[in-house]
Amino acid sequence: MATKTERIISYLPSTFRAVPRTTATYSVADAFGTELLQAENTLAALMSAHWVDHADRAAEFITDLACIASLYGLVPQGAPPPADPAAHQTACRPVFSSEESVEEFREHLKRYVRTFLEGTVTVQGILRVAAEALGLHIADDYDRLDAWWTRDDDALVTVESSGGDAARLLLGVEAATVAGTAARAARLAGKADLSGGVDLSGGATLRVKVDAAAPVDIDLAAALPESSVGEIEQIMKAINGALGQAVAAHDGRRLMLTSPTMGPGSRLEVGIVEDDAAPALLDLSPRMFHGSAATAAQVVGK
């Protein structure tokens, strides 16, 4: 798929088309193309933030979902209180630490809102409120409830184990319910603190392979025309512009790479390349070593 820059270049007369890419014409077009790409990605993210099924998709922290939940007075379990004691507990703010992951909180929010919409004063509503308070998942549909008014008679039935159940002997429990987790995207979080900028004089090329696409060598030096020290925002934009999709993100300190694909087909690789920027950006150990050139025996007089 053609990038925004390539589309801009394609509209120019053939005499103005930039060959090679280092020409001034390409540089000017690339500046606008990168901004258009970022604007398109930002617009898509903004539109997704309005839908509970798409907000914070593949994100590490709960941000947009927290804003939706604040409309109902709900915060993620274990979320720290706001830094300002005067701020309301349900203020719309990102949650960087909680007992629930993004997908767990998405499910929690949908159950919580459903209880609001369908009522809390019915048998079903009371069970849901109790389950919410205890942090339980229950089968609360009426067709799955053993309600007395749906029985043929109102006799109470007590069920006792016959003693033949081997669950306690084999597993140590009478009964257990285990649920899997939702599919996640491949993700690489750097350990280096880039809040004060990063010096790329020791290496300014990052090789990234996303899913089944071919590896892309990203020249970060081109994004830093005046200095070898880059800001984390510049680095993020350069990576996303070269890959043509929003793969890189940051939390103000660390650089994070996330595949746009969910599930087992999701894949991220940071390859070995000359002039490698991975150690400085992601704190990855050097993966390429060079020997020194051969020299002749030499005695230097003092």
Side-chain angles (χ1 to χ4, degrees), residues 12 108 197:
L12 298 176
H108 181 185

Side-chain angles (χ1 to χ4, degrees), residues 42-247:
T42 301
L43 179 60
L46 180 62
M47 294 173 63
S48 298
H50 290 74
W51 301 91
V52 70
D53 287 329
H54 301 285
D56 293 337
R57 181 69 65 185
E60 179 185 13
F61 303 115
I62 301 171
T63 53
D64 294 324
L65 282 175
C67 293
I68 297 175
S70 68
L71 299 174
Y72 298 91
L74 178 67
V75 295
Q77 294 179 0
D84 181 6
H88 195 271
Q89 179 71 13
T90 57
C92 180
R93 57 189 174 89
V95 177
F96 299 111
S97 174
S98 71
E99 298 175 1
E100 296 178 297
S101 67
V102 172
E103 294 305 322
E104 288 171 340
F105 184 61
R106 188 193 314 280
E107 182 185 354
H108 181 185
L109 174 59
K110 292 169 75 172
R111 294 197 314 269
Y112 193 85
V113 173
R114 181 192 60 184
T115 302
F116 262 86
L117 296 178
E118 297 183 4
T120 59
V121 297
T122 61
V123 172
Q124 188 181 56
I126 293 172
L127 290 173
R128 288 174 175 176
V129 171
E132 176 69 25
L134 297 174
L136 300 177
H137 291 244
I138 63 173
D140 55 10
D141 294 333
Y142 275 124
D143 56 354
R144 302 176 69 181
L145 291 178
D146 183 19
W148 62 267
W149 60 85
T150 61
R151 299 174 186 167
D152 293 335
D153 59 64
D154 58 359
L156 297 178
V157 178
T158 302
V159 179
E160 294 185 3
S161 174
S162 65
D165 193 349
R168 175 166 290 281
L169 178 64
L170 297 177
L171 303 174
V173 295
E174 295 288 352
T177 300
V178 180
T181 59
R184 300 184 180 181
R187 185 175 178 277
L188 173 62
K191 299 179 181 179
D193 187 348
L194 309 182
S195 57
V198 56
D199 186 359
L200 297 179
S201 58
T205 303
L206 188 65
R207 174 172 292 176
V208 179
K209 183 179 186 299
V210 181
D211 298 338
V216 176
D217 289 348
I218 305 170
D219 182 12
L220 299 175
L224 311 172
E226 299 179 358
S227 170
S228 61
V229 178
E231 300 294 333
I232 190 171
E233 185 73 16
Q234 292 176 304
I235 301 299
M236 181 195 74
K237 290 182 178 180
I239 294 174
N240 289 338
L243 296 176
Q245 52 187 334
V247 172

Side-chain angles (χ1 to χ4, degrees), residues 1-12 21 25-44 237 240-246:
M1 182 177 66
T3 64
K4 301 295 184 183
T5 302
E6 292 171 346
R7 291 186 62 184
I8 293 174
I9 295 296
S10 68
Y11 295 139
L12 298 176
R21 291 189 171 188
T25 303
Y26 184 89
S27 298
V28 172
D30 188 50
F32 286 95
T34 301
E35 290 299 322
L36 286 172
L37 178 63
Q38 292 299 323
E40 187 176 279
N41 292 340
T42 301
L43 179 60
K237 290 182 178 180
N240 289 338
L243 296 176
Q245 52 187 334

